[in-house]
Amino acid sequence: PKLMSIVELSQLGSEPDVQMLTSLLEAFEELMQHNVVSWEALTENFVKKLINFIDRSHQPEYFQASVVSMCLDILHSIIVNSPKFYGLVSGEISVAAVMPFLDKQDTNVKCSTLAFINAMISKAAAKEDVIRNVHQLGKQMRDSVLSQFPSGAVPREIAQELYIYQC
């Protein structure tokens, strides 16, 4: 809970702020992944703050690869593990909204984005309009991601997420 409070009060700003925020998000994710704290202990304000970081990161002056990657990783885990907050995340961030992150140079951002998209698709199985829109963008997305790497040099994590996406 203390980590969540600090993140809720954080702002994207100077390099030391970004480094501190990234470290806080990494620590938070580790605690959650190892079930030290329940996913149901999340607060709405914390989830909204992560969403806000993603929204603001579309502006070049606020894009910080480490923060975007960690926020997407945590939001991915929320989608998978927290029915309580899945609706909030899916209602605030669409697949189309995160697709521009696939064009970023940072491999972690690409992998986190693909994992987030895969989680949204898997949870949206009953929402045919979401799936239809994603599949229309799918080939374009896959080609866009693959075109950014020399032939045969796609990082394993990205290749795995693309494979999951295709299934």
Side-chain angles (χ1 to χ4, degrees), residues 4-20:
M4 287 188 287
S5 297
I6 296 170
V7 170
E8 289 171 12
L9 297 172
S10 298
Q11 298 293 320
L12 288 176
S14 65
E15 186 62 30
D17 293 339
V18 170
Q19 290 174 350
M20 182 188 76

Side-chain angles (χ1 to χ4, degrees), residues 2-36:
K2 185 70 172 170
L3 280 177
M4 287 188 287
S5 297
I6 296 170
V7 170
E8 289 171 12
L9 297 172
S10 298
Q11 298 293 320
L12 288 176
S14 65
E15 186 62 30
D17 293 339
V18 170
Q19 290 174 350
M20 182 188 76
L21 180 57
T22 301
S23 295
L24 287 169
L25 293 171
E26 287 172 350
F28 175 82
E29 185 183 36
E30 285 295 317
L31 290 171
M32 299 307 281
Q33 292 297 336
H34 291 92
N35 295 318
V36 174

Side-chain angles (χ1 to χ4, degrees), residues 7 24 39-40 42 75 96-97 104 108 110-111 120 136 140 146:
V7 170
L24 287 169
W39 286 103
E40 297 309 310
L42 295 174
L75 291 169
K104 300 295 183 185
N108 291 330
K110 289 177 200 255
C111 190
M120 289 284 282
Q136 288 173 351
Q140 175 187 356
L146 291 175

